[in-house]
Amino acid sequence: MTSGNKTQTDMGVAKAIDTDMYMDDVELAKRLLENAEQNGGKLSNSDIVFALRNLLKMKYYPVAVKYFFDQAELDDFENNVEYKTALKPITFCAYVAASRQGGEVLLGTADKMGCANAKFVMKWKELDDAEIKSHLKYTKDWDQAERFVKTKKRLPEAPLAFATAPLHKAPFTPDIIHGMCDPLQSYHLGNDWNAAFDNHPLQNVMTMNSSICHGCVQCHVVQKFNVTQMCSSSYTAGKTEQGEVNWIMPYKQMEPTIHWMLERTIRDGGVSFPRTGETYPGFDICKLCPFLTFTKPKKKKA
């Protein structure tokens, strides 16, 4: 017998939602992998989002980002996709935030980009004194600021536009995926990426300023997963609230990473690393503390 809530299908026949299954991490992981088997061996974008939300307990939608370099591809997007544009120029991280928290499918263009740092890394402007000056507060002097700015990755060519959307709603094949989570969740994701791609150690890259716009560009250019702190404007502009960090991953690496996470969940009985086999990735109890250990009581004799 299946327990759970009832929903009404289009045919008017009641269909049970197996909420018990959703609450069982191992069974959920098995069902998601069954979905993959029926989908050419790969998880769908919705499967990936569902796994992140229910196993790693991520709050926000991972955001699909695409850079348009081909006019025909951009024309197809504009003619066939329901999307929105910014009323006034805004920052790149504001586009990402609107997709992450509002579920918006957005198209950004150079004239609607209000962040000079983002314009620089996307090659919508060249290096100038204003760009160097914006980094002076982080550095010792002008020469150091100039050298530091020049170390930033830039797109190989200026895109015609870019699009952002929640991964499960993305009407395009993304280039990279941007997410936001707490540091321990990023640790889980980083470990699973390392294992999936036989990589160690994971080298995180932080730049002065432009953490999201540059973080996305860098990920696209070097094709490696990265976890990086917020830049100062990300926090003060109200786009983060609880000290989250950014994670950015090439889209083609997302499915193998989450696929392995599901396999590991089945193997270990849960997704948690702090307490192997537990369900919650942030279980805040020392795994070695003898005072915080639980056991089944002995049965009383009749």
Side-chain angles (χ1 to χ4, degrees):
M1 180 176 178
T2 300
S3 66
N5 303 320
K6 299 284 186 180
T7 59
Q8 207 70 19
T9 67
D10 293 336
M11 300 298 292
V13 179
K15 183 179 180 181
I17 297 177
D18 190 353
T19 50
D20 285 342
M21 182 273 292
Y22 292 140
M23 299 302 291
D24 183 329
D25 288 353
V26 172
E27 187 60 31
L28 176 59
K30 289 179 179 177
R31 296 288 186 92
L32 288 172
L33 290 178
E34 288 175 6
N35 282 357
E37 290 178 6
Q38 298 174 17
N39 188 41
K42 292 189 175 182
L43 300 163
S44 70
N45 289 346
S46 292
D47 289 337
I48 291 170
V49 175
F50 200 79
L52 289 172
R53 288 170 69 92
N54 286 274
L55 295 179
L56 287 190
K57 310 295 191 288
M58 289 194 178
K59 296 180 181 179
Y60 311 110
Y61 293 139
V63 176
V65 179
K66 180 175 180 59
Y67 303 106
F68 289 98
F69 298 99
D70 180 76
Q71 186 63 56
E73 194 173 24
L74 177 57
D75 290 343
D76 182 66
F77 178 92
E78 292 180 319
N79 293 330
N80 296 294
V81 170
E82 290 290 330
Y83 67 93
K84 296 179 181 178
T85 59
L87 183 62
K88 297 180 179 181
I90 58 174
T91 62
F92 179 84
C93 46
Y95 282 95
V96 174
S99 293
R100 178 179 68 250
Q101 297 178 325
E104 301 284 8
V105 178
L106 303 173
L107 184 70
T109 51
D111 63 315
K112 292 298 177 66
M113 175 51 62
C115 174
N117 301 141
K119 283 187 173 181
F120 173 70
V121 296
M122 293 173 66
K123 278 200 172 177
W124 279 345
K125 59 165 279 190
E126 295 304 318
L127 181 62
D128 56 19
D129 286 352
E131 187 66 21
I132 298 170
K133 186 177 180 180
S134 70
H135 289 73
L136 281 178
K137 66 180 180 180
Y138 304 105
T139 58
K140 292 182 176 181
D141 53 39
W142 184 276
D143 289 342
Q144 187 181 64
E146 182 175 4
R147 282 189 290 106
F148 284 6
V149 172
K150 287 180 178 179
T151 64
K152 293 187 180 185
K153 302 294 184 185
R154 303 178 73 200
L155 291 177
E157 61 179 293
L160 301 169
F162 68 88
T164 66
L167 176 57
H168 63 289
K169 292 173 61 176
F172 50 79
T173 300
D175 291 317
I176 57 96
I177 307 301
H178 176 276
M180 192 176 287
C181 63
D182 69 44
L184 187 55
Q185 288 168 324
S186 73
Y187 173 76
H188 283 68
L189 198 56
N191 279 337
D192 285 332
W193 184 85
N194 279 336
F197 290 94
D198 196 26
N199 172 85
H200 199 268
L202 175 62
Q203 296 178 317
N204 301 141
V205 177
M206 186 199 86
T207 58
M208 289 178 173
N209 212 345
S210 60
S211 62
I212 296 179
C213 56
H214 176 264
C216 290
V217 165
Q218 173 178 303
C219 182
H220 183 57
V221 171
V222 305
Q223 288 294 294
K224 288 185 178 181
F225 174 64
N226 188 34
V227 176
T228 186
Q229 300 92 327
M230 296 297 165
C231 60
S232 55
S233 60
S234 296
Y235 199 84
T236 58
K239 292 182 287 294
T240 57
E241 296 183 10
Q242 297 180 349
E244 302 95 339
V245 294
N246 301 290
W247 61 266
I248 312 107
M249 188 181 298
Y251 173 64
K252 65 182 181 180
Q253 297 173 11
M254 194 83 223
E255 196 281 338
T257 301
I258 304 307
H259 206 114
W260 163 244
M261 183 184 78
L262 296 174
E263 292 175 340
R264 178 177 63 77
T265 298
I266 295 170
R267 181 193 70 182
D268 298 339
V271 76
S272 175
F273 281 129
R275 291 177 68 95
T276 306
E278 294 286 355
T279 184
Y280 193 66
F283 200 149
D284 192 18
I285 297 178
C286 176
K287 66 180 180 179
L288 299 178
C289 179
F291 298 105
L292 294 171
T293 303
F294 306 94
T295 185
K296 292 182 179 179
K298 293 181 180 180
K299 292 184 177 180
K300 295 181 179 180
K301 294 182 180 180

